[in-house]
Amino acid sequence: MTRYQLPELEYDYNELEPVIYADIMRVHHGKHHQGYVNNLNKALENFQEAQSRGDLAKMMVLQKAVHFNAGGHINHSLFWENLAPASRGGGGEPQGDLLLLIKNEFGSFEAFIEKFSALTVAVQGSGWGWLGYDKEKNRVDIMTCFNQDLLQEKGLIPLLCIDVWEHAYYLQYKNLRADFVKKIWDIINWKKVAERLGQAATGK
Ligand code: MN3
């Protein structure tokens, strides 16, 4: 059976400062994400065991733990990749097809940032803000998800996500989620987001 593992980051914990302090990264990646990975492996193991016994009720109960922890692992893995230190390409504006699709949908890059930020800050409780790609219509859209639900469950391919669970910002920004979302644009890895769009559009 596949054992899932915590992905290594392409930057050090302190390299996203001052937008995200090293302390947050240490806890967020090293503890929270590791926790999702550990719990996912455990839940899958128990699920398989229940399956081998044909215990359908137990499987249904365990499915919730699989869903939650797999979502946590998948979403965080995407999140780390779509961040980059400002000194190494983070921030700025997207280019090419990505910028074109954003402009088609929202009018301008600035209008997109404003709408994405407003919707993401407004997530009730814990969740994520997303930019996703609708392949059928060849357009991008902003959506929010609760807890560790996947954007894929809403029929979109994930391009960019921002984690607005309190563990993502509380140590540094306290209750000011809006300040965190305002600053995070300085470390968005638009190159990675564009790469995902390219893969989504060509179906690879
Ligand atoms: Mn998180």
Side-chain angles (χ1 to χ4, degrees):
M1 198 175 82
T2 307
R3 300 283 301 175
Y4 292 92
Q5 288 188 341
L6 186 67
E8 283 194 24
L9 303 182
E10 292 186 15
Y11 39 80
D12 292 332
Y13 284 158
N14 63 6
E15 277 192 287
L16 299 179
E17 293 186 351
V19 178
I20 302 175
Y21 287 167
D23 270 358
I24 288 188
M25 289 302 297
R26 203 168 286 124
V27 175
H28 198 175
H29 177 261
K31 303 288 182 192
H32 285 278
H33 190 169
Q34 182 70 64
Y36 291 115
V37 170
N38 295 347
N39 291 333
L40 172 62
N41 286 326
K42 189 74 198 152
L44 286 170
E45 203 180 295
N46 292 341
F47 186 91
Q48 204 179 38
E49 198 265 330
Q51 195 173 28
S52 71
R53 286 187 288 108
D55 189 341
L56 194 54
K58 190 76 191 286
M59 285 162 68
M60 282 184 71
V61 170
L62 286 166
Q63 199 178 34
K64 290 201 172 81
V66 172
H67 181 275
F68 180 73
N69 290 294
H73 176 48
I74 292 168
N75 290 340
H76 284 92
S77 298
L78 290 167
F79 180 57
W80 307 130
E81 279 182 359
N82 67 225
L83 300 178
S87 61
R88 288 200 278 129
E93 291 189 14
Q95 298 182 347
D97 289 347
L98 177 59
L99 183 60
L100 205 67
L101 286 182
I102 286 175
K103 282 184 173 171
N104 282 347
E105 207 57 38
F106 308 104
S108 67
F109 178 63
E110 292 71 25
F112 157 72
I113 296 288
E114 201 174 314
K115 190 173 179 196
F116 189 113
S117 301
L119 289 170
T120 302
V121 169
V123 169
Q124 292 183 339
S126 299
W128 296 76
W130 293 93
L131 177 69
Y133 179 63
D134 181 334
K135 190 174 180 184
E136 207 170 300
K137 296 180 182 154
N138 188 35
R139 54 183 284 262
V140 290
D141 204 0
I142 298 167
M143 277 201 182
T144 58
C145 293
F146 290 120
N147 300 316
Q148 299 299 359
D149 290 352
L150 296 188
L151 184 68
Q152 292 91 321
E153 292 172 83
K154 300 195 177 198
L156 294 182
I157 300 169
L159 302 177
L160 166 71
C161 56
I162 296 182
D163 185 346
V164 288
W165 280 57
E166 283 186 345
H167 67 227
Y169 59 88
Y170 209 87
L171 285 176
Q172 182 178 352
Y173 293 90
K174 301 293 182 284
N175 57 317
L176 303 176
R177 181 190 278 178
D179 285 3
F180 168 63
V181 172
K182 191 174 173 188
K183 292 270 174 59
I184 204 166
W185 301 107
D186 291 345
I187 52 168
I188 293 299
N189 185 349
W190 287 110
K191 214 177 132 209
K192 187 71 198 177
V193 181
E195 206 177 288
R196 284 195 193 132
L197 174 65
Q199 285 167 351
T202 56
K204 279 177 200 155

